[in-house]
Amino acid sequence: MYELFGIFVDVLAPVFGVAAVGALAARRWSLDYRPMSAVAYRLLAPAFIFRLLADPDAVEGPVGLMVVASLGTVVAVWVLYWAASVRLPGEGRVVEVMSASFGNVGNLGFPIVLFALGEAALPAAGVHFLSVTVGVFFLSIAAAARLRSGTLGEAAMRVITTPAIAVTPFAVGVSQTGLTLPRFVSRFVDLLADAMIPVMLLTLGMQLAASHLTRDLWRLARVNLVKLIVAPLIFLGIALLVGLEGDARDSGLILAAMPTAVLAGLIAMEYDLETEVATAIILAGSLASIPTLAVLLRLL
């Protein structure tokens, strides 16, 4: 019990504490989270991913197996939940499946990996982050676009133009060619990248401050049961099957156990898919993840 308390104080409390500051600030001064969210999403996250992947010595180990484990988890959760929710109406089905498979690997995942495993685990977390983001973005936007008479081409284009994904080929190119960036460029990237974690946590709190729980608690419970318990168990099973270990496994497992991503709510809002339910799932999951993450980190 003492170790659990120590994990909460040393790892989770700082992370959720910064998010709480964002929530309090949003309520106190009626702040709109959308400008900060856009800055984090379009500028800071791409810089962070670029810095991680551009370092030729940063990403070591079984990158392919990490992609298999994280992407495989996303697909497995999506397929299983989609099959089990066949009786739900179209909008509710897409919202629940998306929420059950799309973890908050950016706002919440990176700082928890940093505090729990150390800075050396961030490159592996970056690989898992990209795998989850590409998989869920494509599946979620494809399902939402189809529901709203969109096309798979639209979904693919949205994935390709997602800023954190769009910079990946350039970062890999820098890494593989051994190119040394000019000092002013590297410092520019560092300034943006260093701002990502605190800004994302503040934004998370501001977004949660605008969320409310719904009366249908069973919907919130079943989605978060899958997201917080089933998803990490699926990841762990795949990781053991393919032989992942160390930071390559643990960073991915932590990200798999994240509550529903705020971006799931933004996608629901953009396609008019039960936005209130989506934000309620995000709020409930973020609160419920505090004890589940403490237990997981204790077991690592």
Side-chain angles (χ1 to χ4, degrees):
M1 183 61 70
Y2 177 77
E3 292 184 3
L4 271 178
F5 180 74
I7 289 171
F8 173 78
V9 171
D10 295 336
V11 178
L12 298 180
V15 173
F16 283 96
V18 175
V21 168
L24 292 173
R27 289 188 177 277
R28 174 64 179 83
W29 295 299
S30 301
L31 300 179
D32 185 354
Y33 66 83
R34 286 171 292 187
M36 281 186 65
S37 180
V39 168
Y41 177 69
R42 299 181 183 279
L43 297 177
L44 307 185
F48 187 85
I49 292 298
F50 183 90
R51 183 172 66 178
L52 285 179
L53 300 183
D55 184 351
D57 300 320
V59 183
E60 299 177 347
V63 174
L65 296 182
M66 287 189 275
V67 173
V68 167
S70 281
L71 190 56
T73 300
V74 167
V75 173
V77 171
W78 186 280
V79 170
L80 291 173
Y81 206 119
W82 188 263
S85 59
V86 66
R87 295 184 179 180
L88 290 175
E91 290 187 6
R93 192 181 189 191
V94 172
V95 166
E96 290 195 24
V97 176
M98 176 174 61
S99 300
S101 56
F102 200 172
N104 200 342
V105 292
N107 298 51
L108 205 56
F110 273 121
I112 291 179
V113 169
L114 174 63
F115 292 153
L117 303 180
E119 191 171 347
L122 288 180
V127 174
H128 289 296
F129 166 86
L130 289 172
S131 303
V132 171
T133 303
V134 170
V136 180
F137 254 72
F138 183 82
L139 290 171
S140 300
I141 294 174
R146 182 185 177 190
L147 195 65
R148 297 295 182 232
S149 301
T151 64
L152 289 178
E154 177 189 348
M157 184 57 64
R158 294 220 176 198
V159 171
I160 294 171
T161 56
T162 298
I165 296 172
V167 302
T168 299
F170 300 99
V172 172
V174 171
S175 173
Q176 295 301 311
T177 59
L179 178 67
T180 300
L181 296 175
R183 181 174 294 180
F184 80 91
V185 174
S186 63
R187 286 178 172 175
F188 171 79
V189 172
D190 285 343
L191 285 171
L192 290 175
D194 288 340
M196 188 200 78
I197 288 178
V199 171
M200 277 193 160
L201 286 176
L202 289 170
T203 304
L204 172 62
M206 293 168 66
Q207 290 168 323
L208 292 179
S211 303
H212 304 280
L213 295 177
T214 67
R215 293 181 179 180
D216 194 350
L217 297 181
W218 168 237
R219 293 187 72 180
L220 307 185
R222 71 189 178 209
V223 172
N224 284 300
L225 176 65
V226 174
K227 185 68 211 70
L228 300 177
I229 306 297
V230 177
L233 288 176
I234 291 175
F235 176 90
L236 182 59
I238 298 175
L240 293 175
L241 185 64
V242 300
L244 279 183
E245 57 185 20
D247 287 342
R249 177 198 63 207
D250 294 345
S251 62
L253 182 57
I254 291 173
L255 295 190
M258 288 297 111
T260 300
V262 173
L263 282 175
L266 297 180
I267 294 173
M269 183 183 302
E270 183 167 348
Y271 287 92
D272 193 22
L273 302 173
E274 294 191 342
T275 304
E276 183 179 338
V277 174
T279 56
I281 290 171
I282 294 165
L283 176 58
S286 298
L287 297 175
S289 69
I290 297 175
T292 59
L293 286 172
V295 172
L296 173 62
L297 296 175
R298 171 64 181 85
L299 295 175
L300 290 180

